[in-house]
């Protein structure tokens, strides 16, 4: 097959000197493959298989576990540190958990690429993450329905909470205002004061698909926030 743009999502040792990798690819979504020599010290495979590095890859195999036959860099590694790095690790972790193998996800790839450009810029980081999370939900056909479970329009003055079974919103005194949810539905995500509501909706919509095991990246974020407290 011809080389395909890709990013490394996850890597772990495999046998003696190889690596088992999960890659996000442009046309084939997430693939899992063996990278021979990927754990050998000093090998070109190990040097190239780094998080946040744009790659060209090709592989062989018809089963779920492929064999990489080509790994080449196609650009500079995104230089991430601190919170930007943890957000990048979070993006990799949720894609590894959520995307079924070989489910085409070109939009996820596009928003992941845009996210890597946004992460070094604190002012753009949160919105880049939300756009990426939304693309993941779309690929799973699991985006929220901005209505009640019965299909009724949300009242701007009423507060609602997300219902994971119906992917709709139920009236709740402690939830988000219908007005806020309408802004989100319209894609008006730059609206002042919407950041926390967006984060809340995305987290609620993603939760049923992530499972019960805590995200390692989220634990690291909480630890960082705790260290910052006086």
């Amino acid at each position: 097959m011809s080389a395909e743009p890709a990013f490394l999502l996850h890597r772990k040792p495999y046998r003696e000197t190889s690596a088992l990798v999960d890659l996000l690819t442009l046309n084939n979504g997430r693939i899992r493959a063996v990278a021979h020599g990927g754990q050998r010290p000093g090998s070109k495979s190990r040097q190239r298989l780094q998080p946040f590095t744009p790659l060209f890859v090709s592989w062989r195999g018809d089963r779920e576990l492929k064999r990489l036959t080509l790994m080449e860099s196609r650009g500079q590694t995104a230089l991430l540190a601190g919170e930007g790095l943890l957000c990048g690790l979070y993006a990799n972790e949720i894609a590894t958990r959520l995307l079924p193998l070989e489910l085409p996800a070109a939009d996820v790839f596009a928003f992941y690429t845009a996210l890597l450009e946004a992460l070094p810029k604190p002012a753009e980081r949160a919105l880049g993450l939300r756009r990426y999370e939304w693309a993941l939900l779309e690929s799973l056909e699991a985006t929220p329905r901005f209505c009640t479970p019965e299909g009724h329009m949300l009242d701007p003055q009423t507060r609602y909470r997300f219902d994971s079974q119906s992917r709709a919103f139920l009236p709740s005194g402690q939830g988000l205002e219908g007005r806020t949810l309408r802004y989100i539905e319209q894609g008006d995500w730059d609206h002042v004061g919407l950041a926390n509501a967006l984060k809340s909706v995305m987290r609620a919509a993603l939760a049923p698909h992530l499972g019960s095991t805590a995200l390692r990246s989220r634990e690291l974020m909480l630890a960082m926030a705790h260290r910052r407290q006086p």
Side-chain angles (χ1 to χ4, degrees), residues 24 95 99 104-113 132 135-139:
L24 177 62
L99 285 177
D107 283 350
V108 174
F109 188 92
F111 280 104
Y112 181 89
T113 302
Y132 170 70
L136 280 170
L137 288 168
E138 280 192 322
S139 72

Side-chain angles (χ1 to χ4, degrees), residues 51-52 77-89 112 115-121 125:
F52 320 123
T77 301
L79 299 178
L80 305 179
E83 185 177 277
L85 173 60
L86 293 181
C87 289
L89 295 175
Y112 181 89
L115 177 62
L116 292 186
E117 296 178 3
L119 287 180
K121 308 167 187 175
R125 191 175 293 155

Side-chain angles (χ1 to χ4, degrees), residues 20 31-35 59-68 102:
L20 188 64
I31 68 160
R32 180 165 293 160
V34 175
W59 60 88
R60 291 178 183 170
D62 297 325
R63 298 183 179 182
E64 286 191 349
L65 185 60
K66 316 297 185 184
R67 180 170 69 87
L68 289 185
E102 300 183 66

Side-chain angles (χ1 to χ4, degrees), residues 5-192:
F7 290 97
L8 175 71
L9 296 174
H10 185 259
R11 181 181 74 184
K12 66 180 180 180
Y14 183 74
R15 295 181 177 171
E16 293 185 3
T17 60
S18 297
L20 188 64
V21 298
D22 281 54
L23 299 164
L24 177 62
T25 70
L26 175 60
N27 298 314
N28 289 271
R30 181 172 69 93
I31 68 160
R32 180 165 293 160
V34 175
H36 292 287
Q39 289 296 116
R40 185 183 300 119
S43 73
K44 290 184 178 180
S45 294
R46 182 167 183 167
Q47 293 170 9
R48 291 169 179 164
L49 279 171
Q50 299 297 326
F52 320 123
T53 299
L55 300 167
F56 280 119
V57 301
S58 59
W59 60 88
R60 291 178 183 170
D62 297 325
R63 298 183 179 182
E64 286 191 349
L65 185 60
K66 316 297 185 184
R67 180 170 69 87
L68 289 185
T69 57
L70 173 72
M71 287 166 285
E72 291 182 353
S73 172
R74 61 181 176 89
Q76 296 295 317
T77 301
L79 299 178
L80 305 179
E83 185 177 277
L85 173 60
L86 293 181
C87 289
L89 295 175
Y90 165 77
N92 287 355
E93 190 172 9
I94 61 174
T96 304
R97 284 208 195 180
L98 292 177
L99 285 177
L101 290 173
E102 300 183 66
L103 173 72
D107 283 350
V108 174
F109 188 92
F111 280 104
Y112 181 89
T113 302
L115 177 62
L116 292 186
E117 296 178 3
L119 287 180
K121 308 167 187 175
E124 300 178 17
R125 191 175 293 155
L127 189 55
L129 273 174
R130 302 293 88 82
R131 299 285 187 197
Y132 170 70
E133 290 170 333
W134 186 266
L136 280 170
L137 288 168
E138 280 192 322
S139 72
L140 301 173
E141 299 182 351
T143 51
R145 299 167 53 230
F146 290 92
C147 60
T148 67
E150 297 78 23
H152 298 150
M153 184 179 297
L154 301 180
D155 179 72
Q157 307 300 324
T158 302
R159 291 185 176 271
Y160 297 89
R161 65 172 177 83
F162 182 74
D163 175 58
S164 59
Q165 289 190 336
S166 64
R167 301 196 343 261
F169 291 86
L170 294 169
S172 171
Q174 302 300 315
L176 298 170
E177 282 189 344
R179 178 187 297 105
T180 300
L181 293 171
R182 285 189 179 184
Y183 281 128
I184 296 175
E185 180 185 17
Q186 295 164 4
D188 189 9
W189 293 2
D190 292 313
H191 192 271
V192 176

